[in-house]
Amino acid sequence: RVPTYELDPSWPPALPDGMVMGVPTSVAVDTRDHVWVLHRPRTAPDDQRANAAPPVLEFDAAGAFVQGWGGPADGYDWPDTEHGIFVDHQNNVWITGINPRAGANVSDRSDDMFLKFTQDGSFLFQVGGYDVSGGNADTEHPKQPADVFVHAATNEAFVADGYGNRRVLVVDADTGAFK
């Protein structure tokens, strides 16, 4: 049988402090069955944008809000258009971005990076940066990567690098080094 889906209008439960979500772009589940949601705070309704939640939201297995973090900060380039979230076997959180996209550009610069954080939002590393991709042959920079998957057995991160490039980029999950 083909799976069917049913909208649960009660999920997620209310966010704290009147926070609101923008367009959710990706969901991941960690080893503790916590649900991680990546959303685009810039897409919250204009009259509620001041209350936009941080882009990374964590909910426990029962759906209760645990924490929120992410967004531009010193030390790394945060994607202008948030796109993918993945939580690996060590509960590290990987983020991708896809700016500029037709009709949805936040800026003219390209999200040529992916980032890795601890589950509490501490920055671990970034591969790439704004406007740095040299195309498919560039082993150091993705171009608007869509998503990441980490294979625990080999500790390799597979990066779907197909919006701006046409490839799967494989890197060491601990260092980000090209494999």
Side-chain angles (χ1 to χ4, degrees):
R1 296 184 55 201
V2 175
T4 59
Y5 300 91
E6 183 177 324
L7 174 65
D8 182 352
S10 67
W11 201 96
L15 294 169
D17 303 324
M19 285 192 273
V20 296
M21 248 196 287
V23 173
T25 62
S26 189
V27 176
V29 178
D30 69 17
T31 62
R32 304 164 297 156
D33 287 334
H34 284 207
V35 175
W36 294 78
V37 176
L38 182 68
H39 79 104
R40 296 178 181 151
R42 293 177 190 92
T43 64
D46 289 340
D47 62 337
Q48 297 177 11
R49 190 147 312 136
N51 295 331
V56 176
L57 304 174
E58 178 187 5
F59 300 89
D60 68 17
F65 178 79
V66 175
Q67 66 173 336
W69 53 263
D74 291 335
Y76 57 83
D77 299 325
W78 186 263
D80 284 342
T81 303
E82 296 88 351
H83 187 68
I85 188 168
F86 179 77
V87 183
D88 68 23
H89 59 287
Q90 297 175 339
N91 289 325
N92 293 309
V93 181
W94 299 72
I95 303 292
T96 66
I98 60 165
N99 199 67
R101 298 304 304 154
N105 296 353
V106 171
S107 70
D108 290 333
R109 62 188 179 187
S110 183
D111 290 336
D112 297 347
M113 83 287 279
F114 57 90
L115 302 103
K116 181 180 175 183
F117 297 87
T118 64
Q119 65 187 14
D120 68 359
S122 296
F123 175 67
L124 293 171
F125 69 75
Q126 170 181 319
V127 172
Y130 296 118
D131 295 321
V132 295
S133 179
N136 287 320
D138 184 344
T139 60
E140 295 182 28
H141 309 107
K143 185 165 185 72
Q144 302 165 318
D147 213 345
V148 176
F149 173 80
V150 176
H151 184 56
T154 60
N155 201 43
E156 294 172 322
F158 293 79
V159 182
D161 192 20
Y163 279 113
N165 288 321
R166 301 291 178 260
R167 66 180 179 182
V168 174
L169 184 64
V170 182
V171 300
D172 180 275
D174 288 332
T175 67
F178 177 76
K179 295 205 67 179

